[in-house]
Amino acid sequence: MNTPLPDVPEVRVVGLPQLTQGFDLVERLDLSMHLKVHGPLEPMTGELLAQLAEGISLRGRGGAGFPFGQKLRAVAKASIRRGVRPVVVINGSEGEPACRKDTVLLNRAPHLILDGALLAAEALGARTLIVAVTRNSTEISMRAALAERGLSDRRGQQLRARVQRNPERMVSGEASAVIRAIGGGPALPPGRRERASDSGVAGAPTLLSNAETFAQLAVAARIGARRYSHTGLENEPGTVMLTVSGAVARPMVIEVPTGVPMRYVLQLAGAPPVPQGVLTGGYHGNWIDAAATHDAVISRESLANVGGSLGAGAILPIGPDTCPLGEAQLVANWLAAETAGQCGPCKLGLPAAAGGLSDVINGGGPAALEALREVTQAVKGRGACKHPDGSARFFASTLSAFTDDLAAHVLHGGCGRETVGVLPLPVPGYQEAEESIPSGEKLAVDWTLCQGHGICAEIVPELIRMGADGYPSVAEAAVPMHVRGRAQRAVRRCPALALRIEQAPSTRPALPSSDRKALGSGRG
């Protein structure tokens, strides 16, 4: 029930591979194999690179779909106007449980992503490249890729490059959250809207784009716009990376040309012949019914025309044997728990919406349905980031897509089906504190001092969450090395001096009692 996806699931391709070229030869293309498969890449001027991106209608593949050429021009213009070197950021964050296509590319084709980013960095005159990731496997792969190219963050290099590890959360992948984390703050949206192209990392104009976007740019730069456009639809050329999971026999990441029928993609993954519904675009996306699934092809325009969304490329069918509202309830609970806790619509509205959906499912009647619609509407357009809007879209789509089931629950107290739990979600507990180099330390709270300020949960959400009682709930897991610095900062910033770091029991040496008092005083 709700089994999480592996970092690198099965990978398939329809037609000729572009991004996945060489995957049939090796598990990971190191620099040598990458050059054998793809060949060298010549640098391009900023104007030619922008023309290439516009010539292939390249849009961001992280969900927002912003035109890449337009973003590139905006960064170049701001950089020239201000006389400041820009920064290039690869956003490899995938905090959504249903998305793995960027993780696959980061793990298996890291140099294709770096090709596109380095192409943009040279065209813009950037001297800083940052790769933002959220998983242990992607961090290891990208650190190795930088080392294979001789790139590092040492002073004096023409281009300084490094990997930035952020928490694996829904909100941590938003552009503003990535930029804030790079600057040393928490990986949370700051609440103010500011274009990264004007002021991003350290206030410099910043070209931040999704990992797949840079990989697509690298492919197009090698083969040219004309040849690139021979694949896929005329108005949306090229291929798309999709993550297909849910009620399927074989969860997979698949590269397909735009224009391939949706029903064919579902068939490849072993989805039910007539799905009850398909969630398109992931947990901030939209449901479509079986008829729309039969008519749709893989493209932004086609999916939008049938009420769906391409988003970040997640496609999740559910079969006829599960309650769709129950499936949505599990996702709603997760979305509510992923709140950044920085604004009312997110901190209060999403839990209220999740509770409202539960009331509807459990026989609350028309009054509960009306209350749910009111709270969902109230959340829209009022959040400090995009999480409330995306979540509200999911709630609204659920209510409009499954009207028969909704009527059964509202009027008759249920639809007669159990909730199977086919949509992937993290395992319960602190799954974000995933494997890393162990620090041999853990966080501990002195409950006689704790006053529930919640600052610690904002700084290190991987290990600390605020409980329903308003007090922190601390993971039993050891502090991974990649969050040790923020854990120490959380200790220093605790107003009540209630938080401390101590050695984990499995690694704690025998010490005299007088020496134990010095461990993790909380005042460091």
Side-chain angles (χ1 to χ4, degrees), residues 329-352:
Q329 177 71 68
L330 296 175
V331 175
N333 293 341
W334 179 80
L335 289 171
E338 285 295 291
T339 171
Q342 299 184 130
C343 65
C346 196
K347 185 177 181 180
L348 304 176
L350 296 188

Side-chain angles (χ1 to χ4, degrees), residues 225-296:
R226 178 175 296 181
R227 183 177 163 193
Y228 184 96
S229 299
H230 287 167
T231 300
L233 299 169
E234 183 178 356
N235 61 335
E236 296 182 41
T239 64
V240 176
M241 294 288 283
L242 304 172
T243 310
V244 188
S245 61
V248 297
R250 300 176 300 279
M252 64 177 59
V253 167
I254 181 169
E255 182 183 12
V256 301
T258 55
V260 168
M262 169 78 80
R263 61 182 182 276
Y264 180 66
V265 172
L266 294 175
Q267 182 182 353
L268 282 177
V274 183
Q276 185 175 186
V278 178
L279 182 58
T280 59
Y283 296 157
H284 277 178
N286 298 294
W287 290 98
I288 60 176
D289 60 20
T293 300
H294 187 272
D295 296 336

Side-chain angles (χ1 to χ4, degrees), residues 109-435:
H111 290 285
L112 196 62
I113 299 167
L114 286 177
D115 275 349
L118 291 170
L119 202 63
E122 185 164 355
L124 291 169
R127 293 292 179 263
T128 304
L129 170 66
I130 300 168
V131 187
V133 298
T134 55
R135 294 192 173 98
N136 201 50
S137 63
T138 51
E139 180 182 11
I140 292 171
S141 177
M142 294 311 295
R143 286 189 186 280
L146 292 180
E148 287 162 8
R149 288 179 181 252
L151 295 172
S152 72
D153 197 29
R154 289 194 299 270
R155 291 182 181 276
Q157 297 217 10
Q158 184 176 4
L159 177 72
R160 296 179 65 178
R162 64 183 175 91
V163 175
Q164 167 77 26
R165 176 71 175 268
N166 294 332
E168 188 180 332
R169 295 191 61 196
M170 189 76 160
V171 294
S172 67
E174 186 170 313
S176 60
V178 171
I179 290 171
R180 191 179 183 188
I182 290 171
L188 299 172
R192 62 182 184 277
R193 304 294 175 92
E194 195 168 19
R195 291 182 179 177
S197 59
D198 293 327
S199 180
V201 176
T206 299
L207 178 69
L208 184 149
S209 209
N210 162 266
E212 184 194 340
T213 312
F214 283 115
Q216 293 283 2
L217 184 68
V219 168
R222 279 187 168 88
I223 66 177
R226 178 175 296 181
R227 183 177 163 193
Y228 184 96
S229 299
H230 287 167
T231 300
L233 299 169
E234 183 178 356
N235 61 335
E236 296 182 41
T239 64
V240 176
M241 294 288 283
L242 304 172
T243 310
V244 188
S245 61
V248 297
R250 300 176 300 279
M252 64 177 59
V253 167
I254 181 169
E255 182 183 12
V256 301
T258 55
V260 168
M262 169 78 80
R263 61 182 182 276
Y264 180 66
V265 172
L266 294 175
Q267 182 182 353
L268 282 177
V274 183
Q276 185 175 186
V278 178
L279 182 58
T280 59
Y283 296 157
H284 277 178
N286 298 294
W287 290 98
I288 60 176
D289 60 20
T293 300
H294 187 272
D295 296 336
V297 301
I298 301 299
S299 80
R300 291 184 182 278
E301 182 179 355
S302 175
L303 287 171
N305 287 340
V306 297
S309 170
L310 182 59
I315 297 177
L316 303 105
I318 60 171
D321 57 341
T322 188
C323 172
L325 299 184
E327 295 289 345
Q329 177 71 68
L330 296 175
V331 175
N333 293 341
W334 179 80
L335 289 171
E338 285 295 291
T339 171
Q342 299 184 130
C343 65
C346 196
K347 185 177 181 180
L348 304 176
L350 296 188
L357 182 58
S358 178
D359 291 342
V360 170
I361 292 173
N362 293 317
L369 177 59
E370 184 59 30
L372 173 58
R373 284 180 168 145
E374 287 180 4
V375 71
T376 301
Q377 186 63 35
V379 165
K380 292 181 181 178
R382 298 174 57 218
C385 69
K386 299 175 183 177
H387 183 53
D389 283 354
S391 301
R393 186 182 308 115
F394 173 80
F395 281 103
S397 176
T398 299
L399 296 182
S400 62
F402 302 108
T403 52
D404 290 346
D405 295 271
L406 192 63
H409 280 274
V410 170
L411 301 177
H412 307 295
C415 64
R417 287 171 293 181
E418 295 184 358
T419 300
V420 179
V422 296
L423 302 179
L425 288 170
V427 295
Y430 295 90
Q431 70 287 342
E432 293 90 347
E434 58 180 302
E435 73 275 11

